[in-house]
Amino acid sequence: MDPQALENDALAAVATAASTDEIERVRVEYLGRKSELKLALREVRDRETGTALNALRERLEGAIDGREAELARAELDRQLTEDVVDVTLPGEEFQLGTLHPTTLTRRIIEDAFLGLGYEVIDDREVETVHYNFDQLAFAPTHPSRSHRDTFFVDDERLLRTETSPSQIHVMEAKQPPIYMVSLGRVYRRDEITATRFPIFHQFEGLAVDRSLTLADLKGTLLHVMRALFGEQRQVRFRTHFFPFTEPSMEPDVSCPICDMRGCRTCKFTGWIELGGSGMVDPEVLTNVGIEPEEWTGFAFGCGIERSAQLRHGISEIRPFWENDLRTLRQF
Ligand code: DAH
């Protein structure tokens, strides 16, 4: 290798490099691991040659660094004059997310119950026949037990059809007094229509204490309905049947859409059905080892989408699951 020729070549290449990319290529060619100079340095046997080659390396590095800085500055200057920024153009819109209406409604419900001293629990969605039906005293022939109505995972396990199994889990795990609310998804094999969807949310309340009465149940639901739909709401009960409560009732809330003047939503009755409720059947208490002579309980279960529909005047359940941003942005 002729060091002088190499230096001349390298300096010529540095001088003609016209961009930072090109100078980078020059650096690799003359100083890279496989460059002539690096290979020569590795072969050096005497001090004198070593010193000379190292000095050459330093000169080349200096020349390349200097040229690179020059080119980088020139490129920046060019960019600053060419890419002119029009500061009067409108900025890009910042896309902030919003909470889903189901989540918003769920939080209102949770807050209302927390205010009453209830514990909020999150329970499993895959249940067993034992918890979803047997412990809730569903008759062996009850239609909900069939594969036509319910999504089964296997013979024993299914997607819960209601949040009521949470009652059993909580009563098995603790001694009364119990005040709990469980919120979450439930599943039913329904066709999708304007008002039905095979998956939806419920909130389930359970209170077990000494001497609870229907008045306590009614007062509790009234509190939550007022938190959801405003101070003017009233609650009334219609008798009904549920396997795990006795007596069983369906609570109605005075129509929050028309304030009882009569509208399509309440079918001009002034009242809207909310869900199910009742006094916990003594048999259910006995099954979980709670003494029904000493303890009484009330329970209720209502739809969360239903509540959100009433809060916001939405006539269908489908939009809650379509997640169309044009809908969701309105909340
Ligand atoms: N689980 C019932 C349903 O989905 C609603 C219900 C009725 C819940 C009575 C309760 C209750 O806690 O006591 O239709």
Side-chain angles (χ1 to χ4, degrees):
M1 183 195 75
D2 173 357
Q4 191 54 55
L6 181 87
E7 181 162 11
N8 290 345
D9 281 358
L11 292 179
V14 168
T16 51
S19 69
T20 48
D21 284 347
E22 272 178 48
I23 196 78
E24 208 39 52
R25 260 177 260 130
V26 173
R27 188 192 297 279
V28 172
E29 184 181 341
Y30 289 96
L31 295 174
R33 261 188 315 121
K34 292 179 185 155
S35 61
E36 228 181 319
L37 181 55
K38 276 284 155 75
L39 296 177
L41 272 164
R42 226 171 282 153
E43 309 276 284
V44 167
R45 292 289 172 264
D46 63 295
R47 228 173 89 95
E48 208 180 316
T49 321
T51 313
L53 289 185
N54 268 318
L56 171 58
R57 182 178 53 82
E58 272 169 31
R59 281 198 302 282
L60 291 185
E61 270 173 6
I64 290 172
D65 287 348
R67 181 69 182 147
E68 186 179 34
E70 214 174 280
L71 288 167
R73 229 179 356 257
E75 280 171 15
L76 181 64
D77 277 349
R78 201 174 326 124
Q79 226 174 30
L80 287 176
T81 43
E82 280 173 10
D83 306 348
V84 180
V85 176
D86 180 352
V87 292
T88 65
L89 282 175
E92 262 175 51
E93 203 184 326
F94 227 153
Q95 299 274 354
L96 274 189
T98 56
L99 289 179
H100 194 283
T102 306
T103 307
L104 284 170
T105 307
R106 179 179 177 149
R107 290 194 179 176
I108 292 168
I109 297 164
E110 286 174 356
D111 281 352
F113 281 107
L114 286 170
L116 290 175
Y118 278 57
E119 184 187 356
V120 175
I121 70 155
D122 216 6
D123 210 353
R124 65 213 81 181
E125 292 178 22
V126 176
E127 266 302 347
T128 58
V129 171
H130 177 73
Y131 283 103
N132 197 85
F133 295 125
D134 299 346
Q135 285 290 71
L136 291 164
F138 278 67
T141 53
H142 196 287
S144 300
R145 288 179 181 263
S146 80
H147 288 241
R148 284 180 59 106
D149 284 11
T150 298
F151 294 107
F152 279 81
V153 177
D154 54 33
D155 283 350
E156 257 310 300
R157 288 174 300 169
L158 45 79
L159 297 182
R160 67 178 175 187
T161 58
E162 49 185 359
T163 40
S164 303
S166 294
Q167 295 185 22
I168 307 297
H169 290 298
V170 169
M171 287 192 289
E172 280 183 353
K174 351 175 132 194
Q175 284 302 305
I178 293 168
Y179 290 88
M180 78 92 189
V181 62
S182 168
L183 303 93
R185 295 172 171 197
V186 301
Y187 303 81
R188 294 181 189 174
R189 286 189 77 155
D190 280 329
E191 294 289 333
I192 296 176
T193 66
T195 54
R196 282 179 194 279
F197 208 82
I199 167 172
F200 59 100
H201 293 78
Q202 285 188 331
F203 63 96
E204 182 85 17
L206 170 73
V208 184
D209 208 336
R210 293 190 169 86
S211 329
L212 290 178
T213 67
L214 274 180
D216 299 306
L217 168 54
K218 187 170 178 180
T220 304
L221 285 176
L222 190 60
H223 171 78
V224 178
M225 294 313 134
R226 288 186 172 169
L228 275 170
F229 309 123
E231 281 303 312
Q232 302 307 313
R233 302 283 65 82
Q234 300 302 317
V235 171
R236 74 170 189 188
F237 289 112
R238 277 172 299 98
T239 56
H240 199 76
F241 173 80
F242 295 104
F244 43 97
T245 43
E246 181 59 36
S248 301
M249 285 146 303
E250 287 193 328
D252 290 344
V253 63
S254 56
C255 181
I257 308 271
C258 64
D259 205 10
M260 302 189 81
R261 278 186 290 272
C263 67
R264 286 222 330 261
T265 306
C266 65
K267 303 200 182 76
F268 300 94
T269 63
W271 295 94
I272 303 252
E273 181 206 319
L274 274 183
S277 72
M279 302 305 290
V280 180
D281 195 309
E283 184 190 330
V284 173
L285 293 177
T286 306
N287 284 345
V288 291
I290 293 177
E291 178 53 62
E293 299 295 322
E294 188 181 353
W295 304 100
T296 49
F298 65 75
F300 48 87
C302 307
I304 298 182
E305 283 85 354
R306 190 94 212 261
S307 304
Q309 282 178 265
L310 291 174
R311 257 178 74 73
H312 300 288
I314 305 167
S315 56
E316 300 202 358
I317 190 169
R318 262 185 304 221
F320 287 86
W321 295 95
E322 283 165 350
N323 288 329
D324 185 330
L325 285 179
R326 290 168 301 180
T327 310
L328 297 182
R329 283 209 186 99
Q330 297 175 49
F331 294 92

